[in-house]
Amino acid sequence: MTSPLASEAAPFGRVLTAMVTPFTPDGELDVDAAQRVATYLVDRGNDGLVISGTTGESPTTTVDEDGRLLSAVIEAVGDRASVVAGVGTNDTRHSIDLAEQARKAGAHGLLIVTPYYSKPPQSGIVQHVNAVANAGDDVPVILYDIPGRTGVQIAEPTYTELVRNPLVVAVKDAVGDLERGAWLMRETGIRIYSGDDALNLGWLAIGGSGIVSVVGHAAAREYADMVAAVDAGDLATARAINERLLPAVRALMTHTQGAITAKVALQLLGVLEHRTVRGPLPEATDDEVALVRDGLVASGLLES
């Protein structure tokens, strides 16, 4: 299924949130809550959502749960936002199953993270990505390069190999090297999405296509305004938005895992009733809830 927001410059939209996966208090998948969250996020300014990523606690969900979640989100918002399915694991056969399921469900894109823990050589990364991408048939791929979690970084020459597959069109970058990213865009034509909210403005300023955000659970409208300001060459406005959001970025991104803080934020905003997470993630402490609340208030995203 073709994304309603697809373009050559931004194949998955501009402002995407790596959406949390809502659970019931007893830890079961809450599909109704997922549709409410997805609708809220798109209403607030997201033109794309990434489902079953790290923030979606994908290591703890089953193939069946991933499929039901994806279908529910597509049903809720798939006609007005790109819905990208996280299908990357450290098992190529498992990822192929997820990619085939996502294609059948109508996903607009596949997010493929570098295989983690096993630390494959670069040739293994290429084989893995091509096998999973091809299982998705004609669904475009956004890579996810996050060596801090996976233990391995995609090398610059490997990008040259990967983009030979026409399905590989973009990367969510959490390496954080702007010079390297600019070089990759110049040399390979790959589109870069910011994978670190602290660097969103930097990536946009050097030609990044958009962002895949955690803070977007609370600040999608503000990030959409930032994107528009950068597009218009109004860096003063973009900087002002970035500065305003710094307390929220620090609160959601630096004190504990993003899935935990994002669920706290949604609960504080009245979107999510339960902030249940699955082990090994622990529930937010009272101190962590207070930190998130203070950060949202300081950024003007929540009334005090």
Side-chain angles (χ1 to χ4, degrees):
M1 186 165 65
T2 302
S3 165
L5 284 307
S7 71
E8 183 178 353
F12 305 104
R14 308 298 302 281
V15 179
L16 293 81
T17 286
M19 194 182 106
V20 300
T21 299
F23 300 121
T24 63
D26 58 358
E28 296 302 312
L29 178 67
D30 192 336
V31 171
D32 291 339
Q35 290 191 317
R36 289 196 300 271
V37 169
T39 300
Y40 171 83
L41 292 175
V42 174
D43 287 347
R44 291 283 298 178
N46 284 284
D47 56 6
L49 300 174
V50 175
I51 310 303
S52 296
T54 309
T55 309
E57 300 178 68
S58 59
T60 73
T61 54
T62 67
V63 172
D64 175 70
E65 287 174 326
D66 290 336
R68 289 192 286 129
L69 176 67
L70 177 61
S71 294
V73 171
I74 290 173
E75 179 183 55
V77 300
D79 60 340
R80 56 196 183 104
S82 298
V83 181
V84 178
V87 299
T89 71
N90 60 354
D91 175 355
T92 302
R93 290 181 299 175
H94 184 196
S95 293
I96 286 172
D97 290 343
L98 290 170
E100 291 174 343
Q101 175 175 259
R103 173 183 56 81
K104 293 174 183 177
H108 302 123
L110 305 177
L111 179 77
I112 303 178
V113 70
T114 312
Y116 42 84
Y117 185 71
S118 52
K119 297 181 71 172
Q122 296 294 311
S123 60
I125 294 173
V126 173
Q127 291 175 8
H128 174 82
V129 169
N130 283 332
V132 179
N134 293 338
D137 195 10
D138 60 348
V139 184
V141 166
I142 176 170
L143 305 170
Y144 188 11
D145 197 357
I146 182 167
R149 289 189 185 275
T150 65
V152 62
Q153 180 173 305
I154 303 176
E156 290 181 17
T158 303
Y159 277 99
T160 302
E161 290 291 320
L162 289 169
V163 298
R164 291 178 180 172
N165 187 329
L167 294 171
V168 178
V169 298
V171 57
K172 176 186 176 184
D173 185 284
V175 175
D177 186 336
L178 296 178
E179 186 277 336
R180 175 179 181 269
W183 179 260
L184 289 173
M185 287 188 284
R186 178 182 187 273
E187 293 298 306
T188 72
I190 199 163
R191 301 298 181 179
I192 291 186
Y193 284 79
S194 173
D196 182 351
D197 281 306
L199 293 179
N200 286 346
L201 178 55
W203 281 118
L204 292 170
I206 67 167
S209 293
I211 67 174
V212 180
S213 175
V214 174
V215 181
H217 284 93
R221 184 171 296 154
E222 288 74 15
Y223 280 136
D225 290 342
M226 180 191 289
V227 169
V230 172
D231 287 350
D234 184 359
L235 288 181
T237 295
R239 287 193 207 104
I241 295 169
N242 185 67
E243 182 177 350
R244 175 188 165 194
L245 293 179
L246 286 175
V249 171
R250 286 202 165 193
L252 269 71
M253 300 299 294
T254 63
H255 297 295
T256 188
Q257 211 267 3
I260 298 171
T261 55
K263 286 185 174 180
V264 171
L266 288 173
Q267 188 180 53
L268 291 170
L269 292 166
V271 181
L272 197 59
E273 184 177 359
H274 307 290
R275 60 173 190 264
T276 309
V277 291
R278 284 181 175 174
L281 298 184
E283 187 168 333
T285 65
D286 291 344
D287 287 344
E288 288 166 345
V289 172
L291 285 168
V292 173
R293 180 185 293 107
D294 290 346
L296 295 180
V297 170
S299 291
L301 303 172
L302 180 69
E303 293 184 4
S304 58

